[in-house]
Short mmCIF file of all heavy atoms in Angstrom, two decimals:
data_model
loop_
_atom_site.label_atom_id
_atom_site.label_comp_id
_atom_site.label_asym_id
_atom_site.label_seq_id
_atom_site.Cartn_x
_atom_site.Cartn_y
_atom_site.Cartn_z
N HIS A 81 -23.89 93.77 202.11
CA HIS A 81 -22.84 93.74 203.18
C HIS A 81 -22.58 95.12 203.73
O HIS A 81 -21.96 95.92 203.11
CB HIS A 81 -21.60 93.06 202.75
CG HIS A 81 -20.50 92.90 203.80
ND1 HIS A 81 -19.90 91.70 204.12
CD2 HIS A 81 -19.94 93.83 204.65
CE1 HIS A 81 -19.06 91.85 205.05
NE2 HIS A 81 -19.05 93.16 205.36
N HIS A 83 -22.53 97.60 207.72
CA HIS A 83 -22.53 97.57 209.15
C HIS A 83 -23.39 98.80 209.56
O HIS A 83 -22.88 99.87 209.66
CB HIS A 83 -21.15 97.63 209.68
CG HIS A 83 -20.34 96.50 209.19
ND1 HIS A 83 -20.29 95.28 209.85
CD2 HIS A 83 -19.50 96.34 208.06
CE1 HIS A 83 -19.44 94.45 209.11
NE2 HIS A 83 -19.04 95.08 208.03
N ALA A 239 -23.84 92.83 208.34
CA ALA A 239 -22.80 91.80 208.40
C ALA A 239 -22.21 91.69 209.74
O ALA A 239 -20.98 91.76 209.98
CB ALA A 239 -21.73 92.16 207.37
N LYS A 296 -21.99 85.20 211.33
CA LYS A 296 -20.92 85.93 210.64
C LYS A 296 -19.55 85.58 211.38
O LYS A 296 -19.52 85.77 212.53
CB LYS A 296 -21.16 87.43 210.60
CG LYS A 296 -19.91 88.30 210.27
CD LYS A 296 -19.60 88.33 208.85
CE LYS A 296 -18.33 89.17 208.49
NZ LYS A 296 -18.52 90.63 208.73
N HIS A 348 -15.92 86.38 206.60
CA HIS A 348 -15.00 87.36 206.01
C HIS A 348 -13.68 86.73 205.69
O HIS A 348 -13.01 86.14 206.49
CB HIS A 348 -14.78 88.44 207.10
CG HIS A 348 -13.63 89.40 206.87
ND1 HIS A 348 -13.73 90.70 206.72
CD2 HIS A 348 -12.28 89.05 206.88
CE1 HIS A 348 -12.51 91.20 206.63
NE2 HIS A 348 -11.61 90.28 206.68
N HIS A 385 -16.32 89.33 200.97
CA HIS A 385 -15.21 89.90 200.33
C HIS A 385 -14.49 89.12 199.21
O HIS A 385 -14.44 89.55 198.08
CB HIS A 385 -14.16 90.45 201.32
CG HIS A 385 -14.80 91.24 202.44
ND1 HIS A 385 -15.69 92.25 202.28
CD2 HIS A 385 -14.64 91.00 203.76
CE1 HIS A 385 -16.08 92.68 203.46
NE2 HIS A 385 -15.51 92.01 204.41
N ASP A 448 -19.96 97.29 202.15
CA ASP A 448 -19.18 97.29 203.36
C ASP A 448 -19.13 98.64 204.12
O ASP A 448 -18.21 98.89 204.85
CB ASP A 448 -17.78 96.73 203.15
CG ASP A 448 -17.16 96.09 204.33
OD1 ASP A 448 -17.85 95.98 205.35
OD2 ASP A 448 -15.88 95.81 204.33
N VAL A 451 -16.89 101.13 205.94
CA VAL A 451 -15.56 100.89 205.30
C VAL A 451 -15.49 101.71 204.07
O VAL A 451 -14.50 102.39 203.83
CB VAL A 451 -15.24 99.41 205.06
CG1 VAL A 451 -13.91 99.19 204.35
CG2 VAL A 451 -15.25 98.65 206.42
ZN1 ZN B 18 -17.73 94.24 206.73
#
Side-chain angles (χ1 to χ4, degrees):
H81 183 124
H83 302 274
K296 162 79 183 289
H348 161 121
H385 313 311
D448 205 8
V451 174

